[in-house]
Amino acid sequence: TIQAQYFSENTYSRDERLRYILMKILLAEQEIDLWEIEDELFVSRTTLELDIKSIKTLFLTFYPGIKLYRDNGKISAFGTEFSIRYLLSKLLLADYDSPRGVLLTPGAFYDRDRFYHILSRAAACLESRGVTMNDDSIAKLAAYLMVTESRIQSGKYVTVLEQDQEMPEQSIAELAEYLFQTILTADAVS
C-alpha cells in the first residue's frame, strides 16, 4: 500500500510511529481498524496501545480541539477543523530540513512536488507584496496552504470562527486571502 512506502525499513522509532498513526487517523474518512495499523507498522497490540495512550495525552495537552474515539477495535479522531489543519501542518514539517529546504516527510500522505510548488508560489507572492519572511516561516505557510487545499478537496471546510478565536488583523487577513486565491485557486483553474 501507499502507507507501506512511508517507511524504508521494518523498524520504526516511536516518533515515526506516532506521526504515522496521527497522519493516518487525521486523514482517514472513516474509522481505522487497529489491526490494520499493527500490520502496517509491524508492532504488537501492546506497543500500539502505548502509542495510542501517548496520542491521547498529546491531544489533551496540546490539541484539546481534537478527540480520539475508539469502538470495537477501530479508532478515529474528530475535532475542530482549525486544530486538525494546524496539527497536520506540524506533522508535515516534522522532518523539514530547513538549511537545505528539503521536505523529508515521506510522501505517502502528501505530494512533495505539490509542496515545493506551493512553497515557490508563496515565496513569489510574498515578495510581490513586499512581505519578508524567513525560509522556515514560508515553509510553514506552504504546509498550511497544502493541508488546507487537501482538506477542502476532501470536503472539510471551516465555516465559522470558534468562539475563542479572534479575527486576525485586517492586513493579515487580506494577505491570507491573497495567498489563497493566488496560489490555490489559480492552480485549480489551470
Side-chain angles (χ1 to χ4, degrees):
T1 65
I2 290 177
Q3 284 87 8
Q5 296 171 8
Y6 184 80
F7 298 106
S8 59
E9 300 176 11
N10 288 340
T11 57
Y12 322 106
S13 74
R14 183 165 163 50
D15 286 344
E16 287 173 323
R17 281 195 323 268
L18 291 175
R19 282 195 303 270
Y20 179 88
I21 294 166
L22 280 165
M23 291 286 275
K24 186 165 183 76
I25 292 170
L26 292 171
L27 292 171
E29 294 295 322
Q30 58 191 18
E31 296 175 322
I32 298 170
D33 193 307
L34 292 174
W35 179 87
E36 180 183 323
I37 297 172
E38 288 174 38
D39 188 50
E40 289 174 0
L41 297 178
F42 306 104
V43 296
S44 68
R45 179 57 62 108
T46 303
T47 300
L48 183 57
E49 291 295 340
L50 290 171
D51 290 346
I52 290 170
K53 185 177 180 181
S54 294
I55 291 170
K56 282 183 180 180
T57 301
L58 175 77
F59 285 171
L60 287 171
T61 307
F62 298 106
Y63 304 98
I66 305 174
K67 304 287 184 231
L68 203 56
Y69 295 99
R70 294 181 60 174
D71 186 37
N72 294 323
K74 297 185 185 260
I75 192 165
S76 59
F78 297 95
T80 64
E81 189 59 24
F82 283 111
S83 297
I84 291 171
R85 288 181 187 187
Y86 179 75
L87 179 54
L88 286 170
S89 298
K90 286 188 65 102
L91 291 168
L92 180 64
L93 288 178
D95 293 321
Y96 182 70
D97 183 345
S98 182
R100 296 185 321 171
V102 176
L103 182 63
L104 301 174
T105 302
F109 295 106
Y110 288 105
D111 179 355
R112 276 194 190 105
D113 291 337
R114 184 71 183 141
F115 172 78
Y116 293 126
H117 175 76
I118 292 172
L119 180 69
S120 68
R121 295 280 310 266
C125 286
L126 291 168
E127 184 178 334
S128 75
R129 299 281 276 214
V131 176
T132 305
M133 293 174 74
N134 65 34
D135 292 340
D136 281 347
S137 297
I138 297 171
K140 288 176 186 175
L141 174 64
Y144 192 82
L145 284 169
M146 188 165 137
V147 167
T148 297
E149 177 182 55
S150 173
R151 299 293 289 175
I152 289 171
Q153 288 171 349
S154 297
K156 311 287 194 244
Y157 301 98
V158 177
T159 55
V160 295
L161 289 173
E162 279 103 27
Q163 291 178 354
D164 61 340
Q165 292 183 316
E166 296 179 18
M167 196 57 186
E169 293 178 28
Q170 186 63 28
S171 60
I172 294 172
E174 288 172 1
L175 179 59
E177 176 68 19
Y178 170 75
L179 288 169
F180 184 82
Q181 293 298 328
T182 303
I183 296 170
L184 301 182
T185 308
D187 286 349
V189 172
S190 59

